Amino acid sequence: MSAAAWNDDPIEVATREHLALMDRPTVSFELYPPRNPDAAPRLWETIQALSSARPDFVSVTYGVEGKTRDTTRRLVRRLLRETALNPIAHLTCVGTSRAEVVEVVEEFLDEGVRSFLALRGDPPSDQSGWHPHPDGLRTAAELVALLRQIEARRRAQSPAQAVRATVRPLSVAVAAFPRGNAPVGSTREQDIAALLDKQCAGADFAISQVFYDPASYLGMVAEARRAGVTIPIIPGIIPTTDPGRLMRLEALTGVQVPRDLLARLESVDDEVARHRIGIRAGVDLVNAVLDGGAPGVHIYTFNTHHAALDLLEGAHLGGGATPGPLARPAAGAPQVTPTQADHQTSRG
């Protein structure tokens, strides 16, 4: 067989593509359940578009006090049944007893979910400060430990469950905070200590809160390693194309958007030019953290795909569902406003 023929062989082509994908840094997305039924078709179009990037997983938020419990389950169930995507279900401790958390976890496990993002969670908007349920969990580390206990019990009760769990081990992710958790007043040092507790409880990897300068993430990882944290820490990235959304996210998380970036975004009236500026800044950030050793990127999509895929394409991580790496969002694309229910890595 000639070299040209070998290069065109379908099996060889598929093998090269598979190896290229395996060598690629991990790519993942955050989604949240639609707040009304009319948004469901648009969300599914977004999911189909994001699938073109062949993500390693997608996380599905749970909302304050589990208010999206049913819609989260429906979305996760559909992802499991109708796509090849690996969904990670968010879980929180807010306003929920230990028994209720166990019930929710059992429901997800019965649906076939094998991955969770364990979060302490945001307090309700009308509540000052965070207060645990009288019969509930106090920290994300306790939630991680509970997940491990539930899994161990299910394995012990059923040989079939034990086999399934061996074939598809339970995976537990947690949150990390590059600059500390501003809304609750915790420092980076305190959050790294909490991250070490989560690791000791059984966490497999972490996803960071948003940040805008690579030094925040890389410095946090270096400090975490010195403290004994060994699990992978994936940087959480938001496409920086919409100044209004960035400011709303700043109000929610306390993570300040660089004023020079805002100035550049607001200096142009043309939507395409603004999109190009934002994607360029995002690509520079992604490249910097990957060059610094990040295992991949987790993109907060806010249930839209254009900017997320353009960001990946610009960083040579895939994408390509749009006409080019700096494509303009489709006319009529929904403008999504972040809320506490939509962005659940702000509390660890």
Side-chain angles (χ1 to χ4, degrees):
M1 179 182 291
S2 68
W6 175 253
N7 288 337
D8 292 335
D9 181 77
I11 296 177
E12 173 66 10
V13 171
T15 300
R16 290 200 304 269
E17 291 177 349
H18 176 72
L19 290 175
L21 186 64
M22 294 303 293
D23 287 339
R24 180 188 73 171
T26 63
V27 167
S28 53
F29 303 110
E30 180 182 273
L31 303 168
Y32 58 85
R35 291 191 289 273
N36 62 75
D38 293 339
R42 290 197 302 272
L43 172 59
W44 203 247
E45 290 173 3
T46 291
I47 290 170
Q48 291 176 318
L50 294 174
S51 297
S52 69
R54 302 178 72 181
D56 293 270
F57 63 87
V58 295
S59 70
V60 181
T61 66
Y62 191 60
V64 179
E65 294 186 275
K67 289 180 179 178
T68 63
R69 171 175 169 177
D70 291 337
T71 51
T72 296
R73 279 189 60 198
R74 285 196 294 271
L75 177 54
V76 169
R77 183 189 304 122
R78 189 173 180 187
L79 289 170
L80 285 168
R81 294 180 179 179
E82 299 183 25
T83 76
L85 298 174
N86 175 30
I88 293 184
H90 290 212
L91 284 174
T92 71
C93 308
V94 179
T96 308
S97 69
R98 182 184 179 92
E100 289 171 323
V101 174
V102 171
E103 179 183 356
V104 171
V105 172
E106 295 277 8
E107 290 173 353
F108 276 123
L109 291 172
D110 289 342
E111 293 283 359
V113 174
R114 300 300 298 163
S115 300
F116 294 91
L117 177 57
L119 305 163
R120 194 191 68 174
D122 293 305
S125 57
D126 59 351
Q127 178 178 307
S128 60
W130 194 90
H131 305 284
H133 187 283
D135 300 316
L137 306 172
R138 297 170 299 167
T139 66
E142 290 182 1
L143 180 54
V144 173
L146 180 59
L147 282 164
R148 294 300 181 192
Q149 293 167 12
I150 294 170
E151 174 73 352
R153 174 176 52 77
R154 288 169 67 96
R155 289 176 63 111
Q157 289 177 342
S158 167
Q161 290 280 16
V163 171
R164 293 189 184 101
T166 301
V167 174
R168 297 181 62 212
L170 188 71
S171 170
V172 182
V174 293
F177 299 87
R179 285 191 173 275
N181 195 345
V184 299
S186 62
T187 65
R188 176 194 278 178
E189 182 180 12
Q190 290 170 324
D191 284 316
I192 286 174
L195 181 58
L196 185 59
D197 288 342
K198 298 171 198 178
Q199 175 180 284
C200 293
D204 295 298
F205 66 97
I207 300 171
S208 87
Q209 188 187 48
V210 296
F211 60 94
Y212 300 100
D213 62 303
S216 294
Y217 165 80
L218 296 173
M220 180 264 293
V221 172
E223 190 173 333
R225 297 293 180 244
R226 290 193 294 270
V229 176
T230 59
I231 58 175
I233 303 173
I234 302 173
I237 305 290
I238 177 176
T240 52
T241 56
D242 182 343
R245 177 182 295 162
L246 295 177
M247 290 306 298
R248 290 190 292 269
L249 192 60
E250 177 180 308
L252 173 63
T253 64
V255 179
Q256 188 175 64
V257 183
R259 287 330 190 232
D260 61 331
L261 173 59
L262 284 175
R264 294 200 306 273
L265 292 171
E266 294 171 345
S267 67
V268 294
D269 296 326
D270 181 71
E271 185 179 355
V272 173
R274 184 180 298 117
H275 189 80
R276 288 177 180 273
I277 292 170
I279 292 298
R280 182 69 264 165
V283 168
D284 289 344
L285 179 59
V286 168
N287 286 337
V289 294
L290 291 178
D291 289 345
V297 291
H298 184 70
I299 300 179
Y300 298 112
T301 69
F302 295 96
N303 284 9
T304 60
H305 65 272
H306 298 91
L309 292 178
D310 289 350
L311 178 59
L312 290 180
E313 178 128 340
H316 305 293
L317 294 176
T322 51
L326 299 177
R328 179 176 181 168
Q335 298 299 307
V336 185
T337 300
T339 68
Q340 284 183 309
D342 303 335
H343 186 71
Q344 274 295 330
T345 56
S346 58
R347 303 287 193 275

